[in-house]
Amino acid sequence: MKKALNLFRIEGIFLKYNLIAMLQYRLSYFLSVFYELFDALTMMAYFYIVFGSTSSIAGWAQSQIFTLVVVSYFINIVCVMLYIGMTSIPEYIHSGQLDLLLLKPVNKRFFLTFRSPNSVQILNFLVAAVGIGYCVAKSDAVAINIICFFIALLCSIILMYSVMCILISLSFWFIRIGNSWNIIELLNQMSAKPKNIFPMPIQLLLTLFIPALVIINNPAYILHFQYDIFLRQTLPITVIFYISSVIVFRLGLKKYSSAGG
Amino acid sequence: MRSIITQNLSRVYKSPVEKTGLARSAKGLFRKEFKYINAVTDMSFCAEHGDKIGILGLNGAGKSTLIKMLCGIIAPTSGSVVVGGYTPFQKKNDFLRLVSLVAGNKSQLNPDLSAWDNFRFLKSIYRVPERQFSETARKLTLLLECANLIDKQIRRLSFGERIKMEIVAALIHRPKFLFLDEPTIGLDVRSQESIRKILSDYCAEGDAVLFVTSHNLSDIVDLCNRILVIDGGTLRYDGGLAAFCAHYNTTSEINIEVENCTPRIREIVAGTGIVDCDFTGNMIRIQVEKTFITTVFRELIQKLSNDINKIQIIEPRTEDLLKELLIKGKVK
């Protein structure tokens, strides 16, 4: 408990100093706030254009698919706000800058993945949170579905973090891994559609290997349809990916040999 | 009390064999070859509180690798290292609060924040009490003559100013083990002096252990009371700087200024049991073994008393001696 509180304290420090740094660059500040918002608005526009010609897609009604879009937006914002900074790790490894970061008396995984949050996204986070609240209020879900929905949402955040962490940790071995994490964003966009429209092999791929459907689809499915998928899929897959990410990161750190001998 | 103990410390790097040309590079996509490099081999030494140790060696000797193992960035391949009772590579938070690393070519400061915000960030991370933080930051910035720059963004500072801020940042939490990798690289003479003074005072006050690697030998001479000389990853010498100089400095130089350097004078000089001599105009530089210096000096005075304008014995500067020994690889 004490350790967890300390991590919250440190995350608060990261957010504070990141906000101070971001406020030095006014244009960048406004652009980063509005970029994600425009992205969400584009998705909304697309959503309403599609539903101008049909009332349901693969058995999902308009309000249910709206939840999918909002969940996708919410997860994306949390990722950008809290742990998108981990994409700098390959550069730190390549330049040897990681040396100095490893000497800070903070949990290494936490420090490296959360140290560069995007504090200004708090505004988008609030918009997304209101969207989530709206979806829940508009749904006919019973209490158990709503509870499982929020826990599934938390699992999605953890799962997204774990998948990114595994991909980024590969840079301990391969140093240059390109922008391989962008694949997650692509798959998340793809997964913001009812999973029934995908053929079974694709569903399996996007559930077990790159769990984009679990991240985006499952929370909405739990809210509007059946909550038992939470125990059958969301929870075990989250636990497996989280543990895997811890192991891969630890092995990566052990492998780290610094730059420049 | 021994605060650092290393025993048979070794580090081997596995490094890919670089391929040249398109065909070989393409082949490397399918079959990667590796070579093994012994960066540090079988190194054993101890350090006590208050030790100020200079690590000397040419490029690629293993100095930085040794420092990285001592502060826990990389793990030894074999052997053991204990720093302040901890195994560094385990990176326990209590251990990390005791150490600090300054690398001249790397920065721990966020370039988008001011120096002051960077210091406050570190204060929060290291949980430094407010009073201690204010005192340390104020004192160090004043001594380093950079107090007027603390509100400036790091990226707007000159290189020398940034290094000064790095030094302050490294000392904010008052570490007991301070590792400096080329701390004065690219600095002007005045900045070098002030940084050396700060570091020297800091070690004297806090009884901290200091490790310095630097190609600027003045850093070593001014700061350190002990040196480790490394060559090809092997420890060649471990001991006091003065003892090192006494041991390896086997010759002295006699400089003579004469009216006219005649063949007679050359003949007399050549017959005095010298190691080496150089005639330039009316100046004669003679290298003599230390054990014979008095005899040779006396003999020269007797035989050339009418020809000499000026004669003096020159002891080499420690920096020059170290440089010569390192370049010629004489430390065995």
Side-chain angles (χ1 to χ4, degrees):
Chain A
M1 188 63 187
K2 203 177 161 188
K3 273 188 176 176
L5 283 175
N6 189 39
L7 294 184
F8 275 115
R9 180 187 73 87
I10 293 167
E11 184 57 26
I13 296 166
F14 290 155
L15 286 166
K16 177 184 163 187
Y17 284 96
N18 175 263
L19 187 60
I20 294 173
M22 290 207 83
L23 290 173
Q24 310 290 324
Y25 306 97
R26 283 172 296 176
L27 183 64
S28 168
Y29 169 80
F30 289 115
L31 285 180
S32 64
V33 171
F34 289 114
Y35 174 79
E36 298 297 337
L37 198 59
F38 283 140
D39 194 32
L41 289 174
T42 313
M43 278 173 77
M44 291 290 173
Y46 174 73
F47 171 79
Y48 280 107
I49 289 166
V50 169
F51 275 96
S53 337
T54 181
S55 57
S56 72
I57 298 173
W60 288 56
Q62 185 176 358
S63 64
Q64 291 163 339
I65 294 190
F66 182 74
T67 307
L68 265 183
V69 174
V70 172
V71 166
S72 168
Y73 173 52
F74 180 80
I75 300 293
N76 188 37
I77 286 302
V78 172
C79 167
V80 170
M81 187 173 84
L82 291 181
Y83 46 78
I84 194 71
M86 79 164 91
T87 55
S88 304
I89 291 178
E91 179 49 33
Y92 295 149
I93 294 171
H94 187 241
S95 64
Q97 197 66 27
L98 193 66
D99 291 3
L100 296 166
L101 301 176
L102 290 178
L103 296 183
K104 298 289 169 270
V106 182
N107 177 294
K108 298 296 157 290
R109 197 164 112 95
F110 176 80
F111 186 69
L112 293 175
T113 52
F114 286 93
R115 74 180 286 269
S116 305
N118 190 334
S119 313
V120 293
Q121 295 303 338
I122 192 90
L123 298 172
N124 279 315
F125 176 78
L126 292 174
V127 173
V130 169
I132 291 284
Y134 175 80
C135 290
V136 173
K138 279 285 191 180
S139 72
D140 304 326
V142 293
I144 184 77
N145 287 64
I146 294 172
I147 292 168
C148 286
F149 166 73
F150 280 111
I151 302 174
L153 215 51
L154 183 66
C155 286
S156 294
I157 293 168
I158 296 170
L159 197 48
M160 179 81 165
Y161 169 81
S162 305
V163 174
M164 274 186 80
C165 196
I166 291 172
L167 275 177
I168 298 288
S169 297
L170 294 179
S171 57
F172 283 109
W173 286 270
F174 301 105
I175 301 182
R176 285 174 194 257
I177 55 169
N179 289 342
S180 57
W181 52 86
N182 286 345
I183 199 172
I184 303 170
E185 201 179 330
L186 285 174
L187 291 170
N188 279 351
Q189 281 175 10
M190 197 170 130
S191 305
K193 287 146 192 99
K195 61 177 167 185
N196 326 31
I197 66 168
F198 297 108
M200 192 47 84
I202 302 280
Q203 279 191 43
L204 281 175
L205 179 78
L206 293 178
T207 302
L208 298 175
F209 295 101
I210 305 164
L213 284 177
V214 182
I215 294 171
I216 308 296
N217 246 263
N218 280 13
Y221 189 83
I222 287 166
L223 184 69
H224 294 293
F225 300 98
Q226 293 170 333
Y227 66 85
D228 61 330
I229 199 173
F230 172 71
L231 286 177
R232 281 192 290 112
Q233 267 188 10
T234 305
L235 193 61
I237 288 174
T238 304
V239 170
I240 290 168
F241 269 86
Y242 181 76
I243 292 172
S244 305
S245 72
V246 172
I247 293 169
V248 173
F249 188 83
R250 276 192 191 160
L251 289 175
L253 267 192
K254 217 170 173 183
K255 169 79 175 54
Y256 180 62
S257 58
S258 182
Chain B
M1 182 194 153
R2 283 177 173 171
S3 48
I4 295 181
I5 303 169
T6 73
Q7 277 182 330
N8 307 109
L9 196 62
S10 298
R11 171 74 200 196
V12 179
Y13 285 114
K14 184 183 176 188
S15 173
V17 177
E18 306 296 340
K19 304 282 185 186
T20 53
L22 183 62
R24 286 181 180 191
S25 300
K27 200 177 160 191
L29 277 175
F30 304 99
R31 191 160 166 259
K32 203 91 175 163
E33 287 173 31
F34 293 92
K35 60 184 174 188
Y36 292 88
I37 301 162
N38 295 313
V40 168
T41 309
D42 228 10
M43 217 176 269
S44 301
F45 62 88
C46 299
E48 291 166 22
H49 285 295
D51 271 354
K52 292 179 275 185
I53 301 171
I55 306 176
L56 290 171
L58 300 176
N59 287 338
K63 307 182 295 293
S64 298
T65 300
L66 175 61
I67 286 220
K68 283 171 192 171
M69 284 193 283
L70 289 174
C71 54
I73 293 168
I74 56 174
T77 310
S78 63
S80 68
V81 52
V82 177
V83 177
Y86 296 91
T87 302
F89 192 65
Q90 289 175 352
K91 297 190 190 72
K92 295 252 168 74
N93 288 347
D94 288 341
F95 165 73
L96 295 174
R97 285 194 185 91
L98 297 177
V99 301
S100 203
L101 169 69
V102 177
N105 55 350
K106 290 170 191 163
S107 175
Q108 68 163 318
L109 303 174
N110 182 337
D112 294 328
L113 288 177
S114 69
W116 184 249
D117 282 330
N118 268 293
F119 299 158
R120 290 208 72 86
F121 172 77
L122 291 169
K123 169 198 172 285
S124 307
I125 293 290
Y126 283 99
R127 295 187 154 193
V128 181
E130 182 64 40
R131 196 172 158 190
Q132 182 191 321
F133 166 75
S134 309
E135 277 174 15
T136 312
R138 192 169 46 82
K139 183 179 159 192
L140 292 175
T141 49
L142 280 173
L143 286 170
L144 284 169
E145 298 170 350
C146 57
N148 57 333
L149 300 171
I150 54 171
D151 292 329
K152 243 183 168 182
Q153 260 184 331
I154 293 296
R155 67 182 187 85
R156 292 182 195 278
L157 298 176
S158 70
F159 183 78
E161 290 166 346
R162 183 181 69 73
I163 292 288
K164 285 179 180 178
M165 296 307 179
E166 294 281 352
I167 298 278
V168 178
L171 300 180
I172 283 287
H173 61 287
R174 306 202 69 77
K176 284 282 173 202
F177 301 95
L178 190 52
F179 299 96
L180 308 166
D181 195 356
E182 301 284 354
T184 58
I185 192 169
L187 294 185
D188 61 47
V189 182
R190 193 171 157 189
S191 301
Q192 287 180 23
E193 284 291 329
S194 55
I195 283 177
R196 281 186 213 124
K197 173 143 191 0
I198 288 275
L199 293 171
S200 188
D201 290 351
Y202 177 81
C203 292
E205 276 174 25
D207 214 17
V209 181
L210 177 78
F211 275 87
V212 189
T213 76
S214 181
H215 292 294
N216 181 352
L217 294 170
S218 300
D219 288 346
I220 308 290
V221 173
D222 289 358
L223 276 173
C224 304
N225 53 14
R226 180 178 157 192
I227 55 170
L228 304 177
V229 180
I230 302 175
D231 180 31
T234 308
L235 185 60
R236 298 286 184 198
Y237 178 86
D238 174 9
L241 187 56
F244 177 84
C245 294
H247 185 259
Y248 285 101
N249 182 16
T250 52
T251 60
S252 289
E253 190 175 287
I254 300 175
N255 282 2
I256 308 170
E257 189 186 315
V258 290
E259 273 300 326
N260 193 6
C261 196
T262 62
R264 185 186 68 88
I265 294 175
R266 286 171 184 254
E267 200 175 307
I268 291 170
V269 168
T272 48
I274 55 172
V275 174
D276 193 16
C277 69
D278 173 51
F279 302 92
T280 313
N282 60 346
M283 286 297 299
I284 307 169
R285 280 202 188 83
I286 307 169
Q287 296 284 330
V288 187
E289 274 192 35
K290 270 193 177 300
T291 42
F292 301 122
I293 187 84
T294 320
T295 320
V296 172
F297 190 79
R298 194 178 295 148
E299 197 179 333
L300 285 169
I301 294 277
Q302 278 172 0
K303 292 182 177 171
L304 301 173
S305 55
N306 296 329
D307 305 285
I308 293 174
N309 286 345
K310 192 175 161 189
I311 183 164
Q312 61 182 143
I313 297 173
I314 309 278
E315 286 297 334
R317 285 168 67 232
T318 312
E319 288 93 320
D320 296 335
L321 177 66
L322 288 173
K323 195 196 296 176
E324 195 188 325
L325 291 170
L326 286 172
I327 291 170
K328 291 185 178 170
K330 284 183 179 173
V331 187
K332 299 289 178 206

